[in-house]
Amino acid sequence: MSYTWWDELGEFKALHSMNAIRIPWIRDTLTRKYEQMPLSLASPLQDKVILDAGSGGGILTEPLARLGASVIGIDMVEENIKVAQTHLNQDPHIVSRVKYIQAAVEDLVETEEEKFDAVVSSEVVEHVSDLSTFISSCCKLLKPGGSLFITTLNKTTMSYGLAVFAAENVLNLVPKGTHDWNKFIPPDDLQYMLDKNGLTRSLIHGIIYNPLTNRWTWIQDTSINYALHAVKAEHSKHGI
Ligand SMILES: C[S@@+](CC[C@H](N)C(=O)[O-])C[C@H]1O[C@@H](n2cnc3c(N)ncnc32)[C@H](O)[C@@H]1O
């Protein structure tokens, strides 16, 4: 289904519309953190090096580069990387700031440890086979003081009913089999893994998708989708 990545009304439309909330969230968190004054409105993420871990077709990678960041998008699926690179080549303004790599995030640690100001992994961890190794790799890839941004699905009856059953069988938002509920992650489990790797959670917040309006909204309730931001300890190389 790779050719549909850039169809804003296709199978990935919810990822496209999520950009409306996840990009300002990442931008504002990073610019506040580095207290960039005066803030460059055109390139607020200038000089930031970001890893988009599980970048798919580049739906999130490109807008981050448009905000001035240098972004590495990594995805284990060759076809996704090809689609992302082909789409990127159409925009000469950002092509030099984005690099796509076809590999598993876990394989990047050997060469890129502590290289990134931020690691972003949006709608990925619920697809990963060895979550503990994946999270530990994301943490190792961050510079001390770096930020990890995750969006994912909670493991609740509600998330099964809406994100799996309704999304795949009633609303036909995503193809059948897109999500395996057994891989969904309760926030406490994610928090435990982050703690083990020397990261402190600074935010956890619910987000919800309205399929009728194709819009995402921030909500208090984290029982279906949630977003998490955590920060790596300043002087810890490998965490605890
Ligand atoms: C639902 S897509 C999300 C794409 C992108 N983050 C976005 O929000 O537009 C999940 C992606 O994660 C990738 N992925 C899953 N596990 C991975 C791993 N261990 N290393 C790299 N990519 C991975 C998949 O190939 C897939 O492209």
Side-chain angles (χ1 to χ4, degrees), residues 218-230:
W218 291 101
I219 54 164
Q220 292 297 330
D221 185 359
T222 57
S223 64
I224 305 171
N225 296 80
Y226 62 96
L228 181 149
H229 171 233

Side-chain angles (χ1 to χ4, degrees), residues 155-199:
K155 194 175 190 174
T156 60
T157 316
M158 284 283 280
S159 71
Y160 180 79
L162 289 175
V164 183
F165 184 76
E168 294 184 8
N169 299 292
V170 183
L171 301 165
N172 295 321
L173 282 175
V174 289
K176 284 191 178 54
T178 296
H179 286 120
D180 173 0
W181 184 81
N182 293 308
K183 286 185 165 178
F184 290 7
I185 310 122
D188 285 351
D189 291 8
L190 199 47
Q191 165 99 47
Y192 175 74
M193 291 181 202
L194 296 172
D195 288 349
K196 266 202 333 189
N197 285 282
L199 268 76

Side-chain angles (χ1 to χ4, degrees), residues 5 12 15-16 18-19 22 52-61 74-78 80 101 103-107 120-130 134 151 178-179:
W5 275 106
F12 298 106
L15 292 181
H16 282 278
M18 194 190 275
N19 277 357
R22 61 187 175 176
D52 187 3
S55 49
I59 296 170
L60 178 55
T61 323
I74 180 167
D75 201 284
M76 58 201 297
V77 176
E78 183 182 5
N80 294 349
I101 300 174
V105 171
E106 297 86 328
D107 294 337
V120 174
S121 199
S122 186
E123 305 304 294
V124 175
V125 295
E126 67 272 19
H127 298 283
V128 164
S129 40
D130 178 354
F134 181 87
T151 69
T178 296
H179 286 120

Side-chain angles (χ1 to χ4, degrees), residues 14 18-19 27-28 32 44 54 61 72 75 95 103 108 160 199 207 209 213 219-220 224 227 238:
M18 194 190 275
N19 277 357
R27 178 198 61 202
D28 294 349
R32 263 200 309 273
T61 323
I72 290 187
D75 201 284
V95 77
L108 205 61
Y160 180 79
L199 268 76
I207 50 177
Y209 178 66
T213 57
I219 54 164
Q220 292 297 330
I224 305 171
H238 292 292

Side-chain angles (χ1 to χ4, degrees), residues 84-112:
Q85 186 67 53
T86 304
H87 195 270
L88 172 70
N89 291 344
Q90 294 165 29
D91 189 341
H93 298 294
I94 56 167
V95 77
S96 64
R97 282 204 301 280
V98 178
K99 183 179 167 191
Y100 284 117
I101 300 174
Q102 189 228 323
V105 171
E106 297 86 328
D107 294 337
L108 205 61
V109 176
E110 210 168 298
T111 53
E112 305 294 318

Side-chain angles (χ1 to χ4, degrees), residues 193-218:
M193 291 181 202
L194 296 172
D195 288 349
K196 266 202 333 189
N197 285 282
L199 268 76
T200 304
R201 192 186 81 188
S202 79
L203 173 128
I204 181 159
H205 211 293
I207 50 177
I208 191 148
Y209 178 66
N210 181 339
L212 298 177
T213 57
N214 188 29
R215 289 178 80 167
W216 288 85
T217 316
W218 291 101

